[in-house]
Amino acid sequence: MTKRLAYQRSVDQTYQAFDTTAQGLSAAVATQRLDQHGRNALNQQKKTSLLQRFISQFKDFMIIVLLVAALVAALTGEVVDAVIILLVVLLNAVFGVFQEAKAEEAINALKEMAAPNATVRRDGQVMTVKSDELVVGDVVLLEAGDVVPADLRLVEVAGLKVEESALTGESIPVEKTSETLATADLGIGDRTNLAFMNSNVTYGRAVGVVVATGMQTEVGRIAGMLEAADETTTPLQANLTQLGKALTILILIIAAIVFGLGLWRGTANVIDMLLTAISLAVAAIPEGLPAIVTITLALGTQRMAKRHALVRKLPAVETLGSTDIIASDKTGTLTQNKMTVEQVYQNGQLSPAGEPAMAPDDPLARVMILSNDTQRLADGTLAGDPTETALVQYQLDRDFPVDQTLSDLPRVAEIPFDSERKLMTTIHPLADGRYLVAVKGAPDELLKRVTQVDLAGQVTPLTATARQHVLDVNHQLATQAIRVLAFAYRIVATVPDQPTTENTEQALTFAGLVGMIDPERPEVAQAVAEAQEAGIRPIMITGDHRDTAAAIATRLGIIDAGEAQAVLTGAELDAMDDRTFQRQVTQYAVYARVAPEHKVRIVNAWQKQGKVVAMTGDGVNDAPALKAADIGIGMGITGTEVAKGASDMVLADDNFATIVVAVEEGRKVFANIQKAIQYLLSANLGEVLTLFMMTMLGWQILAPVHILWINLVTDTLPAIALGIEPLEQNLMKRPPRGRQSNFFSGGVLGGIIYQGLLEGLLTLGVYWFAITYPVHASASLAHADALTMAFATLGIIQLFHAFNSKSIHGSLFKIGIWRNKFFNWAILIAFLLLAVTILVPGLNGLFHVTHLDAYQWGIVALAGILMVVIVEIVKFFQRRVLSQVNTR
């Protein structure tokens, strides 16, 4: 019988299977098994050296293109440009190394969660050993406050509750048993006779036999999944690689054509044409693009941090903008991760929890406080079982005298909770010498012991009709995924020497029911609606039961009321093969009672549908899916270090609504990068066309210094400024662009082509006009003026075109010309840097330009204005076509 079926073994079979006894292993056998099977520890993640990380940064295709560009620039004698390109590449590499070094190592974080020591029974003696020295067959003793040191089959249980939310996602501690479970293929959360490594004991005590250690435990399996998971390539990384390849091919084709045609015309020798072809290649490469992308992403991370979304990996900023699916864990993300009283049934009436406070002598209030093990710490916070602390907090919020009640009615005896009778009873002395027996527990079990009911202080017999009404209310609340506890009391003259259920928990008076739930966050329903409006589909993945998950999902608007077919359990998922599930995955919006491998299957199935998937989570059980998703989102407050380490982004406030905010920021980042790319590539195309046509027409060609200075001035500050443009209207009402889109989608490629051609034609037109209608009679001066005007026009047209690039299709005059202050300063500084080369004496010779008069500057300015006017006209017709397409 395998370890996965350990819960199906009886206690005797467990001892036999692992060759041990209730007295534990002998020290010799334990040592032998430790040598044979290794330590009870998780594998350490392989470390990557700083040098390896640095070298890996240069494997990116775009970086290789830039390195080639630096070499080309150096060969043409433009050492300054080569140095600038190399600096960009080095800064990009250093930033990448910094981001990787900052990331926590998820598997090592898992290891740090382990308990340092364990209490075991060896050779019949109880002793403490290091947890990594545990072996299968060891008998381990557990009590409240312990971290479970290995996977255990529980053989003795006394009111044990174990908090497993980090592993299973279930929000409340699980009641454990030593009974054999006969059902095959139970999910982790239903294996109630097992205790799992790294979970926390919150109540009671137990004895268990170690059935798995180290990488063989459930946590170890998760560590193995993390180890085996491949890093996903973000849409941004894929798009940049695609762009780099396309540019390289284009550059090589252009350079080869110019070189071949030049030789065929016979206007220049091989060396001159080679230098011309290389100059064209330099003009075509947007060497500032990686820096602009990095800066835009970095600025996006700063804005997101202010809105509680902490980005650990830069490309994740943009990935959010392309998200189609947000797969969210329920507990702590969609809900508040704290049990809260929601409904109270008292005096025959069901009321919402917001009703007025109960009187100090109210029997229901007293039992809620007294039959309760909650501890109030010095700082005022409550410690204990979440269900019990919720009862106390409910009364504290209504200024009920909790401390006074506990002081006036001290506990003198008790019958602890156990999973068989499902009740807890405490006994307290009253002022008249009698004793109050306070009982709470499962409604069906408690009602078996009730004979009377308290109705506003009047105690009357509990009729069959009244009993059924209580059961109906219990059922009504249970169908809403509300956890219900029943409360009763009894006044007795004396306290039995040994209180038992037979002599104490009988002839009780019913006081009321309390319904509790881990409530949804108040802002999440609106965030879900906003995500759906943006074309994003939220789905819930949780370890909780089907009814609980469906109820919360309905309240949040993830599914409609009664939409049971949209809920799938882990057991039902196990019954499907991957092909069937991938075909049907779009039918489901809620996944309940799932295991870690289920979450990975869900993410993979959506990805195979071509969707970009964001996955949120806070527990160890979420880590493999967080790593497999296109963007993993960890929880900053309740999240384990393991979940954070596997994530690309961490929510500082654990709030689903913050994800929608981050998606908005991601969309803005992509839109702005797209604007910068359109601006840069259309400008570079204009430069290439200008040089190409000048070469073909036999005109005096712009010098490399002209092209490089224009690139330096116009490709930096204005392009960076486009990266911080404000959010365009209706951006969050557009559907996600999805995995198949790229930087050239949405009309950008067409814009690059026609705008680049327009820039080149306007520049060539100014050159032709200056030659045809010269200001100076001298041919040499006329050519010098024409070349200077072409240089100024090419630069100024690009600055005017930066205004066009503020929106792909929107009118410049509607989106606002001056909204972006940084952009305004960038354009002004770029213009001054361009103008000084012509206006400042002494720089003319360095840049091979001449002074221009007002008339010549007017021609240059007119070309720039025409660039804006013509593009605005094209955009006008584009918007009309798009609106007609959208209305069909």
Side-chain angles (χ1 to χ4, degrees):
M1 203 174 281
T2 64
K3 191 278 296 185
R4 292 295 299 278
L5 299 178
Y7 59 88
Q8 292 182 307
R9 299 190 185 105
S10 68
V11 171
D12 290 338
Q13 288 172 334
T14 301
Y15 283 133
Q16 184 179 0
F18 294 98
D19 195 16
T20 188
T21 68
Q23 301 305 309
L25 300 173
S26 67
V29 170
T31 302
Q32 180 185 358
R33 291 187 183 181
L34 186 64
D35 292 338
Q36 183 179 355
H37 300 293
R39 292 189 171 273
N40 175 36
L42 304 181
N43 295 341
Q44 278 278 23
Q45 191 167 347
K46 295 179 181 178
K47 289 187 177 291
T48 305
S49 70
L50 195 64
L51 180 61
Q52 288 173 317
R53 287 178 179 175
F54 186 73
I55 292 173
S56 69
Q57 305 300 316
F58 294 92
K59 295 178 181 178
D60 184 85
F61 196 84
M62 194 66 183
I63 297 300
I64 294 171
V65 171
L66 286 173
L67 289 173
V68 172
L71 178 62
V72 168
L75 290 175
T76 58
E78 300 300 329
V79 179
V80 173
D81 198 61
V83 170
I84 290 172
I85 295 173
L86 286 173
L87 281 174
V88 168
V89 170
L90 287 172
L91 285 172
N92 192 68
V94 169
F95 198 87
V97 169
F98 174 74
Q99 285 297 113
E100 288 183 16
K102 197 171 67 170
E104 298 92 349
E105 296 179 336
I107 294 176
N108 294 343
L110 261 175
K111 186 172 182 178
E112 290 170 5
M113 288 177 64
N117 297 305
T119 303
V120 300
R121 194 181 288 150
R122 286 184 181 171
D123 292 317
Q125 302 294 316
V126 175
M127 61 182 68
T128 300
V129 300
K130 292 182 178 178
S131 62
D132 63 359
E133 294 177 1
L134 286 180
V135 295
V136 290
D138 259 326
V139 175
V140 176
L141 282 64
L142 298 175
E143 61 182 25
D146 286 348
V147 176
V148 179
D151 282 6
L152 309 177
R153 166 62 167 95
L154 300 172
V155 295
E156 297 176 29
V157 170
L160 186 72
K161 292 185 181 181
V162 181
E163 197 272 308
E164 299 176 341
S165 62
L167 188 64
T168 66
E170 190 163 355
S171 54
I172 59 176
V174 179
E175 297 172 9
K176 293 295 184 177
T177 179
S178 60
E179 298 299 318
T180 305
L181 302 174
T183 307
D185 299 324
L186 285 176
I188 295 175
D190 296 317
R191 300 175 196 173
T192 52
N193 60 6
L194 298 184
F196 300 107
M197 185 177 184
N198 291 0
S199 56
N200 299 291
V201 179
T202 63
Y203 191 87
R205 59 186 185 278
V207 177
V209 175
V210 175
V211 296
T213 60
M215 295 299 288
Q216 302 306 310
T217 62
E218 290 297 330
V219 169
R221 288 197 315 110
I222 293 172
M225 292 166 69
L226 282 172
E227 218 169 22
D230 294 327
E231 289 288 344
T232 54
T233 300
T234 68
L236 177 67
Q237 291 166 326
N239 286 342
L240 284 175
T241 299
Q242 183 185 41
L243 178 60
K245 289 178 180 178
L247 283 176
T248 301
I249 294 169
L250 184 65
I251 289 164
L252 291 175
I253 291 172
I254 292 172
I257 290 174
V258 169
F259 181 74
L261 285 176
L263 291 179
W264 176 73
R265 282 173 55 88
T267 55
N269 57 37
V270 174
I271 298 298
D272 287 341
M273 285 314 305
L274 180 62
L275 289 174
T276 300
I278 290 173
S279 296
L280 271 173
V282 171
I285 295 174
E287 56 271 11
L289 181 58
I292 289 162
V293 170
T294 301
I295 290 168
T296 302
L297 291 174
L299 291 172
T301 64
Q302 290 181 9
R303 290 192 298 270
M304 290 168 74
K306 292 177 182 177
R307 304 177 81 174
H308 308 295
L310 311 176
V311 176
R312 296 177 63 249
K313 299 176 183 177
L314 274 187
V317 180
E318 181 275 334
T319 307
L320 275 165
S322 60
T323 298
D324 297 286
I325 304 294
I326 300 177
S328 179
D329 182 46
K330 177 185 76 68
T331 306
T333 310
L334 299 174
T335 64
Q336 298 177 29
N337 195 26
K338 61 178 182 181
M339 295 302 290
T340 304
V341 174
E342 180 155 295
Q343 297 280 346
V344 176
Y345 176 78
Q346 187 180 24
N347 301 324
Q349 299 292 325
L350 182 64
S351 306
E355 291 295 302
M358 300 176 186
D361 60 348
D362 187 291
L364 176 58
R366 280 185 167 185
V367 180
M368 288 172 67
I369 297 300
L370 297 173
S371 184
N372 197 310
D373 285 330
T374 297
Q375 298 293 317
R376 195 167 184 186
L377 304 180
D379 61 359
T381 58
L382 303 178
D385 183 276
T387 302
E388 294 191 327
T389 59
L391 298 173
V392 175
Q393 190 62 55
Y394 172 80
Q395 298 295 359
L396 288 173
D397 290 344
R398 284 151 186 78
D399 297 322
F400 186 86
V402 172
D403 294 333
Q404 187 66 42
T405 301
L406 292 171
S407 176
D408 293 345
L409 301 171
R411 185 183 304 185
V412 295
E414 65 180 303
I415 308 175
F417 174 89
D418 69 56
S419 56
E420 291 183 7
R421 71 184 217 292
K422 297 182 179 178
L423 299 174
M424 174 184 175
T425 297
T426 59
I427 304 174
H428 309 264
L430 295 170
D432 61 6
R434 294 184 298 171
Y435 294 87
L436 171 67
V437 177
V439 187
K440 80 165 186 292
D444 53 346
E445 292 295 328
L446 186 140
L447 283 172
K448 293 176 183 177
R449 296 162 170 82
V450 167
T451 58
Q452 303 175 102
V453 58
D454 190 316
L455 297 173
Q458 297 295 318
V459 177
T460 60
L462 182 68
T463 64
T465 302
R467 185 186 301 272
Q468 187 57 49
H469 185 255
V470 173
L471 290 172
D472 290 343
V473 171
N474 176 47
H475 177 72
Q476 173 190 338
L477 295 175
T479 57
Q480 300 172 39
I482 294 176
R483 189 182 188 197
V484 183
L485 284 178
F487 299 83
Y489 68 94
R490 179 186 177 192
I491 307 296
V492 296
T494 60
V495 178
D497 292 336
Q498 290 186 334
T500 64
T501 188
E502 289 78 14
N503 63 25
T504 304
E505 296 174 339
Q506 304 297 328
L508 302 176
T509 300
F510 179 74
L513 300 175
V514 172
M516 289 170 285
I517 197 170
D518 177 9
E520 69 275 15
R521 288 175 175 267
E523 64 280 353
V524 168
Q526 177 63 29
V528 166
E530 289 175 7
Q532 291 168 336
E533 188 178 30
I536 301 167
R537 183 174 181 179
I539 64 174
M540 178 196 289
I541 304 178
T542 179
D544 266 348
H545 291 280
R546 183 188 196 116
D547 291 344
T548 305
I552 294 293
T554 302
R555 290 163 67 150
L556 292 174
I558 293 175
I559 61 174
D560 294 329
E563 199 177 354
Q565 71 277 7
V567 183
L568 188 73
T569 65
E572 292 167 338
L573 180 53
D574 280 333
M576 290 187 190
D577 58 55
D578 285 340
R579 182 175 296 180
T580 302
F581 179 52
Q582 186 184 333
R583 188 174 62 250
Q584 298 180 5
V585 68
T586 56
Q587 300 174 19
Y588 308 112
V590 178
Y591 298 86
R593 222 61 181 149
V594 293
E597 56 268 28
H598 294 145
K599 298 184 181 186
V600 175
R601 278 187 71 188
I602 294 165
V603 169
N604 289 341
W606 278 110
Q607 287 173 328
K608 288 175 182 175
Q609 291 274 349
K611 304 297 185 182
V612 178
V613 181
M615 170 75 194
T616 75
D618 60 355
V620 174
N621 61 321
D622 298 314
L626 290 171
K627 194 170 182 181
D630 295 287
I631 175 164
I633 305 171
M635 303 296 109
I637 299 173
T638 60
T640 61
E641 289 303 311
V642 184
K644 294 176 191 176
S647 300
D648 304 297
M649 186 178 87
V650 175
L651 300 183
D653 57 359
D654 286 15
N655 194 340
F656 180 87
T658 303
I659 302 173
V660 179
V661 168
V663 167
E664 177 183 281
E665 192 64 48
R667 288 192 177 188
K668 182 170 79 170
V669 163
F670 180 83
N672 287 348
I673 291 175
Q674 205 174 32
K675 294 170 189 175
I677 286 175
Q678 176 171 308
Y679 169 69
L680 288 171
L681 294 189
S682 59
N684 286 14
L685 179 60
E687 294 169 9
V688 168
L689 180 65
T690 301
L691 292 175
F692 179 77
M693 291 305 299
M694 282 181 161
T695 303
M696 294 302 97
L697 294 171
W699 292 353
Q700 186 174 352
I701 193 170
L702 287 169
V705 69
H706 294 145
I707 298 300
L708 295 173
W709 185 251
I710 289 172
N711 280 356
L712 181 65
V713 169
T714 63
D715 286 8
T716 50
L717 289 178
I720 292 171
L722 285 171
I724 57 173
E725 275 291 298
L727 185 75
E728 286 191 58
Q729 288 183 348
N730 299 323
L731 190 62
M732 283 299 286
K733 293 185 178 179
R734 302 173 192 170
R737 65 176 191 278
R739 191 178 294 279
Q740 301 305 316
S741 72
N742 54 45
F743 289 127
F744 297 131
S745 301
V748 172
L749 180 60
I752 289 171
I753 293 172
Y754 91 81
Q755 289 163 14
L757 290 172
L758 182 59
E759 285 189 29
L761 290 173
L762 286 171
T763 304
L764 291 169
V766 169
Y767 184 89
W768 172 85
F769 184 85
I771 289 292
T772 308
Y773 305 100
V775 173
H776 298 96
S778 166
S780 60
L781 288 176
H783 277 93
D785 284 349
L787 199 63
T788 301
M789 289 175 69
F791 165 65
T793 301
L794 191 56
I796 285 177
I797 277 180
Q798 291 184 17
L799 297 182
F800 273 95
H801 183 47
F803 285 95
N804 290 329
S805 302
K806 281 173 161 286
S807 176
I808 304 299
H809 297 297
S811 170
L812 170 63
F813 303 104
K814 283 191 176 181
I815 61 174
I817 300 177
W818 313 114
R819 282 202 307 165
N820 186 345
K821 293 181 180 179
F822 182 78
F823 179 88
N824 301 334
W825 281 106
I827 296 297
L828 178 61
I829 292 169
F831 172 75
L832 292 175
L833 289 173
L834 187 68
V836 293
T837 61
I838 300 171
L839 299 175
V840 177
L843 290 178
N844 307 78
L846 184 62
F847 284 89
H848 314 295
V849 294
T850 60
H851 284 288
L852 300 178
D853 60 23
Y855 169 76
Q856 291 169 317
W857 275 113
I859 299 298
V860 170
L862 179 62
I865 293 169
L866 281 174
M867 185 71 198
V868 173
V869 171
I870 295 171
V871 170
E872 277 292 312
I873 292 170
V874 173
K875 283 184 180 182
F876 172 76
F877 287 106
Q878 284 179 332
R879 288 194 298 275
R880 293 194 64 177
V881 171
L882 285 172
S883 64
Q884 290 173 1
V885 170
N886 293 333
T887 54
R888 287 175 186 171

